[in-house]
Amino acid sequence: MTGTLPPLLLQFAATAVLSFVLGLELHSYRRAQDEGIGFGTTRTLTLIGAAGFVLWLLDGSSPRGLYLAGLAALAVWLAVDLARHGAAGAEGGGALLPSVIALLAFALGPLVLTQPDWLVAAVLIVAILMLAEKPLIRRLSDAMPMAEGVTLVKFLILAGLVLPLLPNTPIPGLVDITYAKVWMAVVLISTISYAGYLAHAYLFPKAGTLLTGVLGGVYSSTAATVVLARQARLDTGIAAQAPAATVLATAMMYVRLWIVIVALGHWPAALHLALPFTLLLAGSLGVTWWLWQRGRRQAPQAPGATLGAHSANPLDLPVAFLFAGLFVAFAAITSFVTQHFGATGLHVLSFLVGFTDIDPFVLSLLAGHFQVTETAVITAVLIATGSNNLLKAGYALGISRQKAMLPAAAWLAFTLLLSLGWAAWVK
């Protein structure tokens, strides 16, 4: 049926419907803010969208005199209305947002006629979110310090400007490790970590204990373990649920690491690691559930288990450069070890690296082509994650000094034995 309709009619209908939706959202926004109807009713925005469509179509080609004249007339009208209501002191009358929405409705016609559907949808989604999520946006604006925004802008400059300029040539002495590949890993791992950091710091600042484990595990399971152990030591209510959250943070480590491996295009490694990571994830989730039930019987859920002391901002520039430096350093060390000591040396190195930051080691290991088999590389990744869990077990017990943390620490240590057992089995 739709194939028989003229394309121009479908485009006009789409413009009218999208303008109508903008009008509905603006009306809902005003009702939520207890504002009067004011300028920009649903009917007005629909007609503005239709007028923009018609004027763009009548122009035919550049210089688009009719459309620009209509845009100028609309801008003057909006400016006069804004000044009039502002001078009259009408509540909400001086707000700029309705005028911006009206200009966007006028531009919908040209967007529908000239741009791909995904861009039109993206523009509409952004506009609706800005109208519908005012409380969340205001909460984020009030909560985020200026330093966070400055750091994010600096990183976006480096990611958007420096990354395209980096040569895709090997770093001297490192086969298949290029400057661009190193920085791409930095961008990806920092972005994922930063998403978890922002979610915990600003979206869920008063998260419960289990949510603390989930969000903390997204950006650093080791940091989450340290914070949970500290709070368990200070608060007996948190201590009952901290073991479950500690294991859950490690479970998120497997998810996060596997996603990063896939995103960087290391598909063979991702396929080989899928089964052991899934088994370790499933086991960790099962232990989490058991510890959670056990904690509920011992003490009620503590409402305020939050990451009171966050780790360093994952998008802080020194942290990003440190990651890049560790990436290159681990690649160089791995190359030396594999050349002189083979797979055995690599496995010993991976065990030792587990007591530091495993992300740059794992990614540099997968990015390079060293003088060992692919199986040796996969087992090295498993050993590194297992020894890192042993480190977290020590943190959990040593910092919390709580007997309740013993089962969680035991499971984390046991994952090292499971990783070693898998490594021995696949040889």
Side-chain angles (χ1 to χ4, degrees), residues 46-389:
T46 304
L47 291 174
I48 289 175
F53 183 95
V54 172
L55 290 177
W56 183 273
L57 201 63
L58 290 177
D59 269 342
S61 61
S62 297
R64 301 290 180 186
L66 286 176
Y67 181 81
L68 293 178
L71 180 61
L74 177 61
V76 171
W77 179 24
L78 294 174
V80 171
D81 182 79
L82 190 64
R84 179 169 57 88
H85 284 84
E91 184 179 357
L96 187 61
L97 185 59
S99 300
V100 175
I101 296 298
L103 292 173
L104 179 60
F106 191 75
L108 279 177
L111 279 175
V112 171
L113 286 167
T114 62
Q115 302 303 317
D117 294 341
W118 62 264
L119 180 59
V120 178
V123 171
L124 188 68
I125 289 171
V126 170
I128 291 176
L129 287 177
M130 294 302 102
L131 289 170
E133 299 297 335
K134 179 181 178 179
L136 175 60
I137 296 171
R138 176 162 292 180
R139 190 166 74 247
L140 286 175
S141 300
D142 294 339
M144 183 171 292
M146 182 181 298
E148 295 273 18
V150 172
T151 300
L152 178 58
V153 169
K154 290 179 180 178
F155 187 84
L156 290 176
I157 291 174
L158 289 178
L161 298 179
V162 176
L163 182 59
L165 297 176
L166 287 175
N168 196 27
T169 55
I171 298 174
L174 297 176
V175 181
D176 293 328
I177 303 292
T178 66
Y179 295 96
K181 188 180 292 185
V182 171
W183 191 247
M184 177 59 73
V186 172
V187 172
L188 181 61
I189 199 74
S190 297
T191 301
I192 294 176
S193 299
Y194 193 59
Y197 171 84
L198 288 180
H200 196 285
Y202 301 110
L203 294 181
F204 306 101
K206 296 183 180 180
T209 311
L210 286 182
L211 187 56
T212 295
V214 172
L215 298 176
V218 169
Y219 73 86
S220 174
S221 59
T222 303
T225 299
V226 170
V227 171
L228 287 166
R230 286 175 179 169
Q231 294 189 344
R233 183 178 178 180
L234 299 174
D235 190 322
T236 55
I238 294 177
Q241 294 293 349
T246 300
V247 176
L248 188 56
T250 293
M252 293 304 300
M253 176 197 71
Y254 290 110
V255 176
R256 171 178 174 270
L257 188 57
W258 193 83
I259 290 175
V260 171
I261 292 172
V262 171
L264 290 176
H266 305 304
W267 283 101
L271 292 175
H272 283 91
L273 289 169
L275 181 56
F277 273 17
T278 299
L279 294 176
L280 290 166
L281 172 63
S284 297
L285 293 178
V287 172
T288 297
W289 182 85
W290 176 73
L291 290 173
W292 179 63
Q293 294 290 343
R294 181 172 176 265
R296 289 182 63 187
R297 291 191 296 268
Q298 292 178 353
Q301 168 67 30
T306 65
L307 284 178
H310 299 291
S311 65
N313 186 332
L315 270 191
D316 199 17
L317 294 184
V319 176
F321 287 122
L322 175 62
F323 185 96
L326 289 174
F327 188 108
V328 176
F330 281 135
I333 295 172
T334 303
S335 178
F336 175 83
V337 169
T338 54
Q339 287 179 13
H340 292 82
F341 304 102
T344 302
L346 176 61
H347 294 160
V348 173
L349 175 64
S350 63
F351 179 84
L352 297 176
V353 167
F355 293 95
T356 62
D357 188 355
I358 66 171
D359 285 340
F361 170 73
V362 170
L363 297 182
S364 65
L365 181 63
L366 296 175
H369 292 279
F370 304 103
Q371 297 181 8
V372 291
T373 63
E374 184 176 1
T375 301
V377 171
I378 300 303
T379 55
V381 173
L382 287 171
I383 293 172
T385 57
S387 63
N388 187 252
N389 289 345

Side-chain angles (χ1 to χ4, degrees), residues 221-230 233 246-247 250 354-355 385-403 405-416:
S221 59
T222 303
T225 299
V226 170
V227 171
L228 287 166
R230 286 175 179 169
R233 183 178 178 180
T246 300
V247 176
T250 293
F355 293 95
T385 57
S387 63
N388 187 252
N389 289 345
L390 182 62
L391 173 68
K392 287 179 283 189
Y395 282 153
L397 279 180
I399 297 176
S400 70
R401 301 180 184 179
Q402 296 283 342
K403 292 182 178 179
M405 194 67 79
L406 185 59
W411 168 254
L412 293 178
F414 185 62
T415 59
L416 171 60

